[in-house]
Amino acid sequence: MLKRYHLFVIVAMLILPIACEEPDTCGPFPSKYDVRGYQIYFSTPGYFTGLYLDTTGSYSYQGISIRLLTDVDYLYSQNTHGTFSLYACSPLIPYSIDSISSITVTSVYDYNATHLSGDTLNDILSIQYIDVPYREVNIPLAAIDTLRPGASKDAFIRIGENPSDSSKQRFIVQITHTNGESFFGQTQVITILPDSTRNSNKSLKLTPNRGRST
């Protein structure tokens, strides 16, 4: 019986993390963030891995995205887990204190017969982002007006309709928060190809994300 007791104590010491003696000794960790700006540019799709699209390249509309990468200021908080918490002293999951009320994307040039220069493209766009706690969301861009999600640190907008032909394109993006803050930005100019003219990757010219600010 004594041996079993000793074995139990040893196993418990091995599997239980060392907890904080006091709640305020955990951290501080970044628990929230305040959005102070957006980097807006054409890139390949993918969270934090999208590649900035070179302005001399030509790209199928299905292989590009409009990236919305936030510039943020972190707010720090203490972790309040108690002495015997299994996850004592673990970092908190940061979330945005800003909520988005609308995103509007317009085309500088004619995109197709139903979306001319200056028209909104919202009806043919969708947005993908990571919501707290790390849940992927993929919705029509127009649904942002009713969902009003928190501002994700990385999101990308996809185009769901062919352009009329191969042409230079630049999009203007306006992002409005529920507190009245508005952010404007525009993408670089690239050539977007209709799906029927999609060719091999030899036409793609990619460069790493250069942290383009707007």
Side-chain angles (χ1 to χ4, degrees):
M1 184 67 181
L2 186 58
K3 290 183 179 180
R4 290 183 180 178
Y5 174 77
H6 287 165
L7 180 61
F8 173 79
V9 172
I10 293 172
V11 170
M13 292 176 64
L14 289 175
I15 65 173
L16 290 177
I18 299 175
C20 301
E21 293 180 1
E22 299 292 338
D24 62 1
T25 62
C26 295
F29 299 111
S31 60
K32 305 173 186 177
Y33 56 88
D34 180 22
V35 176
R36 53 184 173 82
Y38 290 85
Q39 298 174 41
I40 298 172
Y41 54 91
F42 283 124
S43 77
T44 55
Y47 299 109
F48 301 105
T49 60
L51 296 175
Y52 182 91
L53 298 183
D54 191 277
T55 56
T56 62
S58 299
Y59 314 93
S60 164
Y61 82 97
Q62 294 181 328
I64 66 174
S65 69
I66 307 166
R67 181 159 303 280
L68 310 178
L69 194 62
T70 54
D71 296 320
V72 303
D73 289 323
Y74 282 105
L75 307 176
Y76 289 80
S77 298
Q78 303 286 350
N79 191 324
T80 57
H81 286 303
T83 304
F84 293 102
S85 170
L86 183 60
Y87 297 102
C89 295
S90 60
L92 302 170
I93 299 174
Y95 65 92
S96 173
I97 64 173
D98 301 293
S99 296
I100 296 175
S101 60
S102 67
I103 299 176
T104 303
V105 180
T106 56
S107 180
V108 173
Y109 309 108
D110 291 349
Y111 184 75
N112 58 25
T114 56
H115 299 86
L116 304 179
S117 173
D119 289 347
T120 178
L121 301 172
N122 282 28
D123 61 313
I124 61 170
L125 302 176
S126 62
I127 186 168
Q128 293 176 244
Y129 61 91
I130 300 295
D131 199 5
V132 175
Y134 299 118
R135 177 176 63 95
E136 183 176 28
V137 179
N138 185 354
I139 57 174
L141 185 60
I144 288 289
D145 296 356
T146 54
L147 286 180
R148 301 199 167 194
S152 176
K153 285 193 291 184
D154 187 22
F156 55 93
I157 297 171
R158 302 295 300 273
I159 306 171
E161 193 172 295
N162 259 322
S164 294
D165 50 33
S166 302
S167 59
K168 299 284 186 182
Q169 295 293 335
R170 165 174 271 167
F171 297 159
I172 298 174
V173 181
Q174 178 183 358
I175 303 169
T176 304
H177 291 176
T178 54
N179 63 2
E181 289 182 313
S182 287
F183 303 86
F184 292 86
Q186 59 183 349
T187 66
Q188 71 274 37
V189 177
I190 63 171
T191 298
I192 300 180
L193 308 174
D195 190 53
S196 59
T197 62
R198 187 176 183 178
N199 49 21
S200 68
N201 287 336
K202 291 187 293 184
S203 68
L204 299 183
K205 297 183 179 181
L206 310 177
T207 57
N209 171 16
R210 300 169 181 171
R212 301 298 173 105
S213 300
T214 56

